[in-house]
Amino acid sequence: MQFPPVEPPKRAHARAVADALAGGTSGVALGRLGAIGAWVASVQGRDVPTPFLRPRAVIVAGNHGIATRGLSAWTSDAGAAQVEQLRAGVGPASTTARVAGASIRLIDDYLDTPTGAIDVEPAVSQDVWDAALAAGAEIADSEIDGGADLLIPGDIGVGNTTVAAAVYGTFTRTEPAKAIGRGSGINDEVWKIKVAAIRDAMFRVRRFRDDTERVCAELTGPDFACLVGFIAQAAARRTPLLIDGVYPAVAAYVAERLAPDTKDWLMAAQEANEPAQAGCFEALGLRPLQHLDMKTGQGAGALAALPQLNLAAEMVGEVLAGGSSISD
């Protein structure tokens, strides 16, 4: 799939906001909040940033054949249980969305899609992966056309950190043991199983590791493809995204490979203490808003950081209120 060219945000607005804050007479030193507010102004194309009024989390659920290896602290039915929680309006994402004033859309089309165990076989065919990539782009279009002004990609799935680490390790030539953390809270023995699975998966794709879409079809699944398409298309549609968790972080990294300059429309929400997440954020030039060490998935960390993003916009907006206009 070919994404439309990603145009940069209105950097003139960001520079003007930064200059105004640096040379202002208000006596207010906003620190990093000022830089965050400047980014908001640039992606909104405004002289003065404003809080996001219609933030929307899109949570994509999936499953992975590799999860049968026993490499998670969660049982294989944990993903389905989290989906039921969301449907009932409870759980981490529902709570944080309610507090942050965001709405949620659940995509559970891929929850029961069979996927191969990536240490010995492809996750899905290329056709399945490509179709899910296009579906993610369509979801982004529908949300933007519906009025969303900030998008938050979220994930549900047992084995997601294993898959994310295999993709990250493959593209960055990172050793398996350095690409993976403790995920759901695993012990040493389970960690060794996880490292071995990532090692074998990376070995399988070594001959074509520069072929982004083929590697992803071999190692991920339609839920990951959906997130990649969602993120890349949102950036192409000039709509900012708040990224949280290792799975969305690696999806954003892949989106940048498929749609260069996607990174300009991304803000990192929080650090989850996972090497693949930290590595992808660094490669994308992103610095997390907060250090919450949340590993709940579901975009809950991003939703928890959303009030901080809106606070920066509100605070910078008040400082700049009444300042001179910048032409588009």
Side-chain angles (χ1 to χ4, degrees):
M1 174 179 177
Q2 293 292 323
F3 293 95
V6 178
E7 297 180 5
K10 301 286 188 179
R11 292 194 176 95
H13 293 278
R15 288 194 299 270
V17 168
D19 291 345
L21 291 175
T25 59
S26 65
V28 177
L30 297 183
R32 193 172 172 227
L33 286 179
I36 296 167
W39 177 83
V40 173
S42 72
V43 297
Q44 290 178 338
R46 295 176 180 270
D47 297 349
V48 177
T50 62
F52 294 101
L53 299 178
R54 297 193 65 180
R56 179 79 154 164
V58 175
I59 302 172
V60 184
N63 75 88
H64 304 289
I66 195 66
T68 61
R69 299 287 189 261
L71 39 70
S72 174
W74 304 108
T75 58
S76 58
D77 60 350
Q82 289 183 39
V83 166
E84 289 306 314
Q85 279 189 331
L86 272 180
R87 287 174 179 156
V90 296
S94 296
T95 301
T96 49
R98 201 161 47 243
V99 172
S103 60
I104 293 176
R105 177 177 176 180
L106 172 65
I107 307 295
D108 59 0
D109 305 50
Y110 311 115
L111 185 61
D112 298 319
T113 300
T115 56
I118 61 174
D119 56 344
V120 296
E121 60 186 338
V124 292
S125 70
Q126 193 67 60
D127 287 345
V128 168
W129 203 88
D130 291 346
L133 183 73
E138 291 175 1
I139 292 167
D141 283 336
S142 69
E143 293 300 332
I144 296 165
D145 293 342
D149 58 0
L150 175 75
L151 293 172
I152 297 172
D155 66 299
I156 291 176
V158 179
N160 278 7
T161 56
T162 299
V163 168
V167 174
Y168 169 74
T170 297
F171 289 141
T172 62
R173 280 58 165 174
T174 300
E175 296 177 14
K178 295 181 179 179
I180 194 67
R182 294 290 171 163
S184 52
I186 56 177
N187 59 31
D188 289 344
E189 292 306 311
V190 177
W191 183 83
K192 292 175 184 177
I193 296 172
K194 200 167 187 174
V195 170
I198 295 168
R199 177 200 64 206
D200 293 346
M202 289 175 58
F203 185 78
R204 273 199 326 101
V205 302
R206 68 195 184 283
R207 294 186 306 275
F208 50 87
R209 60 188 180 186
D210 292 321
D211 186 333
T212 300
E213 293 181 67
R214 185 178 178 187
V215 166
C216 286
E218 292 275 341
L219 297 184
T220 64
D223 60 325
F224 185 85
C226 184
L227 286 172
V228 172
F230 178 76
I231 293 168
Q233 184 68 8
R237 292 285 307 273
R238 303 179 61 82
T239 302
L241 301 106
L242 189 55
I243 304 294
D244 165 54
V246 61
Y247 207 62
V250 177
Y253 176 82
V254 172
E256 173 67 21
R257 291 173 69 98
L258 297 180
D261 297 325
T262 288
K263 62 181 181 295
D264 291 338
W265 294 91
L266 309 179
M267 176 65 71
Q270 63 99 26
E271 185 174 321
N273 196 26
E274 280 287 329
Q277 184 210 40
C280 286
F281 281 168
E282 182 177 1
L284 293 168
L286 304 179
R287 180 183 172 192
L289 289 169
Q290 297 179 334
H291 298 267
L292 302 177
D293 200 20
M294 289 180 67
K295 300 180 182 181
T296 57
Q298 305 180 28
L303 288 163
L306 176 56
Q308 183 81 69
L309 187 64
N310 277 338
L311 171 65
E314 182 80 26
M315 191 170 287
V316 170
E318 288 190 2
V319 172
L320 298 181
S324 61
S325 175
I326 307 163
S327 63
D328 290 336

